[in-house]
């Protein structure tokens, strides 16, 4: 018994105390097979623990190690223009190395900002139950590459949507009774990503019916959502920048059921008090076939339309409110009716970054659409990207990289 | 004799009784068969799937078609009439009356990235907008069979021999447009990845280089190739698309009868040459 105890490594103190307990004499075979008494349990516990540990180790050794993608050393963005940014699309990217490679290439291009979409439905699958796994991965890699993150929040989870029988809405439908739930999610998001995310965008393109759950668009309703979110978010992190708007540039005529002219929408937002519920205005600035220097005109959708939106902020009494371009740019598909040639696209894109730096002091960031798609869309949408799904850089990527490094254009 | 006669009558009576029993049995059997058939009919009727989309189309006589008319030659807006025109538009106009006589196609214009949302929200019954099949979306929509394959193809000059497939490309001078990503079966993909591809700004430029003799082959999407081949002579396809990019017609997953009919109609259109004629018209 002593030998057995010694071989099991029982501490001497315990060994002596065990010896002190009277044990009923039993035949050796009975000792092994009979139901253990409390004393035998004590004797066997260390062995059982060891066996259990061994079994766990064996199981662990049999499993392939989980793939690990290291964050790597801290990097810094080198660029002559601190406003250069890009909208990544990592929401559906499931492979960590691709997340990392994407963000490395963003840095190597000379962009210091990314805009990324963090769907509410993905992060809060049940009320109050949060899963930040993928969001953490994206934000951590972005930070390690020296990038600042602007997070777009939206997409209603199933539990906050109308009943499943209602086929007339989309996951962008948010009933007013769930505004506090969204605000709470935004609060949890900025609380979790405190000092890791620079800004959040509340919703996306609420001036088109599709993005407003196929309801008539409602600038006052959106302002109520923005206000509720702003108040909640500032409690969690007073320093995070809250961006409102992110309006779709559109010339929709008055009364169009599909959407509202972005200028009219912003006017009504500001009249409803949106200026007090945002720190900056998010703007989408697509150029279609026009160059970035084409003059702003209320009757035209172009890159410089941004100036009209900014002027409205000034007129409404918010001259210091910054503008963040969170989408925009050009497409170079050979047949799409709103596309330009690849060479034009590269030149327009570089000029857009330059223009913001030289002429728009009120513009903090120009984040164009889109860096890379996880898989080909097999349509003209593929021609908005800067690199292909397999990370082959397109001419526009090379042109921006050269510009950001201070090369001649 | 009398006894014999009695026996005969008795025998006849027995035969008659046996006959009526047989008749009764047959009648019961017939009734059982009829009852079973009726029950089966009732069961089939109750099991027949409900398709509200199809019911609505038949009720209103309108097939609502979501499309983004910014993609010629499949769909664009005719500036003179303001109507949606193109291969897809023609296909919609031909499809509608084949679903049921008198049904007409009406277009619902939405942006390309909103097409699936518009379908899900019942803004339309089908999407016809050069939409490629995507396996990732098959939980949310049912796709029809393909009506056009837009996958990448190998193009060579007329008279070029020995190039019929990817396996024939090593050692050749091959051009592609910027952004081309090699795809295909693993062996084909490997071959394509190892080729020293010459990259051009557009598919058109690659085809012009091929025509000028700078290349021995070009790999471009089938639409670009068809457009170019229609305008210029001296080039031809070498084999089938390297990978399939199948344009098809998605419907909501509960439109189970409608998708069956659309598939049936598309098969007919393949057989009777309608799809070929549409392609000839628009390329």
């Amino acid at each position: 018994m002593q030998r057995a105890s010694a071989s099991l490594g029982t501490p001497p103190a315990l060994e002596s105390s065990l010896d002190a307990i009277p044990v009923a004499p039993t035949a050796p075979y009975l000792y092994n097979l009979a139901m253990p008494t409390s004393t035998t349990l004590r004797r066997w516990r260390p062995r059982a623990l060891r066996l259990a540990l061994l079994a766990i180790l064996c199981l662990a050794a049999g499993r392939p190690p989980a793939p690990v993608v290291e964050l790597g050393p801290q990097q810094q963005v080198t660029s002559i223009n601190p406003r250069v940014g890009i909208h990544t699309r990592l929401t559906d990217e499931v492979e960590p190395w691709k997340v990392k490679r994407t963000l490395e290439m963003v840095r190597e291009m000379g962009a210091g900002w990314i805009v990324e979409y963090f769907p509410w439905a993905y992060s809060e699958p049940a009320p109050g139950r949060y899963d930040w796994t993928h969001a953490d991965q994206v934000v951590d890699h972005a930070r390690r590459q020296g990038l600042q993150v602007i997070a777009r929040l939206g997409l209603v989870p199933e539990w906050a949507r109308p009943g499943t029988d209602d086929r007339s809405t989309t996951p962008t439908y948010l009933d007013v009774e769930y505004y506090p739930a969204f605000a709470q999610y935004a609060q949890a998001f900025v609380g979790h990503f405190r000092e890791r995310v620079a800004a959040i965008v509340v919703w996306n393109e609420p001036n088109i019916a599709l993005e407003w759950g196929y309801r008539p668009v409602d600038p006052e309703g959106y302002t109520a959502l923005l206000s509720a979110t702003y108040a909640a978010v500032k409690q969690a992190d007073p320093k995070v920048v809250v961006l409102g708007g992110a309006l779709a540039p559109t010339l929709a005529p008055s009364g169009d059921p599909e959407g509202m002219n972005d200028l009219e929408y912003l006017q009504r937002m500001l009249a409803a008090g949106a200026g007090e519920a945002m720190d900056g205005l998010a703007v989408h600035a697509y150029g279609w076939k026009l160059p970035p220097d084409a003059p702003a005109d209320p009757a035209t959708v172009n890159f410089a339309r941004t100036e009209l939106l900014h002027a409205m902020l000034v007129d409404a009494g918010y001259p210091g409110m910054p503008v963040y371009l969170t989408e925009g740019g050009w497409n170079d598909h050979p047949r799409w009716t709103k596309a330009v040639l690849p060479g034009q696209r590269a030149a327009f894109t570089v000029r857009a970054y330059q223009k913001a730096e030289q002429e728009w002091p009120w513009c903090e960031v120009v984040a164009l659409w889109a860096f890379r798609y996880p898989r080909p869309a097999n349509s003209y949408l593929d021609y908005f990207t800067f690199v292909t799904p397999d990370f082959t850089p397109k001419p526009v990527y090379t042109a921006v990289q050269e510009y950001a490094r201070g090369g001649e254009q | 004799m009398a006894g014999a006669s009695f026996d005969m009558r008795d025998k006849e009576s027995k035969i008659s009784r046996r006959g009526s029993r047989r008749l009764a049995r047959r009648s019961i059997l017939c009734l059982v068969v009829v009852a079973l058939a009726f029950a089966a009919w009732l069961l089939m009727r109750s099991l027949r799937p409900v398709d509200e989309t199809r019911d609505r189309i038949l009720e209103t006589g309108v097939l609502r078609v979501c499309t983004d008319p910014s993609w010629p030659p499949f769909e664009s807006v005719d500036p003179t009439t303001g109507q949606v025109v193109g291969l897809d538009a023609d296909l919609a106009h031909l499809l509608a009356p084949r679903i049921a006589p008198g049904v007409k196609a009406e277009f619902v214009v939405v942006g390309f990235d909103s097409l699936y949302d518009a379908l899900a929200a019942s803004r339309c019954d089908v999407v016809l907008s050069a939409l490629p099949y995507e396996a990732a979306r098959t939980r949310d929509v049912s796709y029809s069979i393909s009506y056009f394959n837009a996958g990448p193809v190998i193009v060579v000059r007329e008279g070029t021999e020995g190039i019929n497939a990817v396996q024939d490309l090593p050692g050749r001078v091959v051009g592609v447009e910027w952004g081309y990503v090699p795809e295909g079966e693993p062996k084909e993909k490997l071959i394509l990845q190892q080729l020293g591809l010459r990259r051009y700004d557009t598919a058109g430029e690659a085809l012009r280089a091929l025509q000028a003799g700078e290349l021995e082959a070009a790999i471009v999407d089938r639409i670009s190739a068809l457009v170019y081949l229609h305008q210029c002579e001296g080039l031809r396809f070498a084999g089938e698309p390297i990978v399939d990019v199948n344009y098809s017609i998605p419907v909501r997953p509960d439109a189970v009868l409608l998708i069956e009919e659309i598939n049936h109609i598309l098969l007919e259109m393949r057989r009777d040459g309608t799809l070929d004629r549409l392609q000839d018209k628009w390329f």
Side-chain angles (χ1 to χ4, degrees), chain B residues 235-252:
Chain B
L235 301 181
R236 67 169 176 84
F237 289 125
E240 295 296 309
I242 299 168
V243 288
D244 296 327
V245 176
N246 285 316
Y247 288 177
S248 62
I249 306 171
V251 301
R252 278 185 301 280

Side-chain angles (χ1 to χ4, degrees), chain A residues 53-72:
Chain A
L53 190 64
L54 192 66
I56 291 167
L57 283 173
C58 287
L59 281 172
R63 291 179 60 186
V68 176
V69 175
E70 300 283 349
L71 288 174

Side-chain angles (χ1 to χ4, degrees), chain A residues 299-319:
Chain A
T300 306
V301 169
N302 62 12
F303 186 75
R305 191 175 178 83
T306 310
E307 293 170 1
L308 302 178
L309 294 162
H310 173 252
M312 290 174 74
L313 292 179
V314 175
D315 290 347
Y318 300 99

Side-chain angles (χ1 to χ4, degrees), chain B residues 266-277:
Chain B
L266 288 176
L267 279 172
E268 266 182 12
M269 287 179 165
R270 273 188 198 173
R271 276 197 292 269
D272 66 19
T274 305
L275 292 181
D276 288 339
R277 281 195 294 280

Side-chain angles (χ1 to χ4, degrees), chain A residues 310-393:
Chain A
H310 173 252
M312 290 174 74
L313 292 179
V314 175
D315 290 347
Y318 300 99
M321 183 173 282
V323 164
Y324 289 65
L325 256 71
T326 52
E327 269 189 40
W330 288 264
N331 180 296
D332 56 5
H333 188 276
R335 287 183 311 282
W336 189 45
T337 50
K338 293 173 184 168
V340 295
L341 292 170
Q344 280 179 310
R345 182 185 172 210
F348 289 178
T349 302
V350 168
R351 176 62 195 138
Y353 287 130
Q354 267 176 346
K355 186 181 178 74
E357 171 73 355
Q358 294 166 354
E359 300 172 20
W360 294 351
W362 37 266
C363 180
E364 292 284 326
V365 180
V366 177
L368 300 183
W369 181 266
F371 192 70
R372 168 186 172 266
Y373 293 158
R375 59 178 192 274
N378 287 316
S379 77
Y380 71 83
L381 297 180
D382 290 324
Y383 291 74
F384 271 118
T385 59
F386 281 50
V387 303
T388 62
D390 75 342
F391 300 101
T392 304

Side-chain angles (χ1 to χ4, degrees), chain A residues 167-171 208-210 214-215 257-258 332-338 341-343 375-381 383 388-390 392-395 398, chain B residues 52-53 68-73 110 112-114 117-118 120-123 132 134 136 177-179 181-183 199 201-202 221 223-224 227 245 247 252 254:
Chain A
R167 296 201 313 186
S168 62
T169 68
T170 64
I208 56 173
L210 167 73
Y214 270 132
R215 288 172 294 174
E258 298 301 325
D332 56 5
H333 188 276
R335 287 183 311 282
W336 189 45
T337 50
K338 293 173 184 168
L341 292 170
R375 59 178 192 274
N378 287 316
S379 77
Y380 71 83
L381 297 180
Y383 291 74
T388 62
D390 75 342
T392 304
K394 294 183 178 179
T398 317
Chain B
E52 288 175 11
T53 307
D68 170 13
S70 63
W71 183 254
V110 290
F112 192 86
D113 47 3
S114 310
D117 287 323
S122 293
R123 288 291 171 116
E134 282 184 74
E177 72 170 319
W178 265 100
V181 182
E183 288 180 284
R199 293 186 182 272
D201 269 3
T202 63
D221 71 276
I223 303 172
S224 297
V227 170
V245 176
Y247 288 177
R252 278 185 301 280
D254 56 2

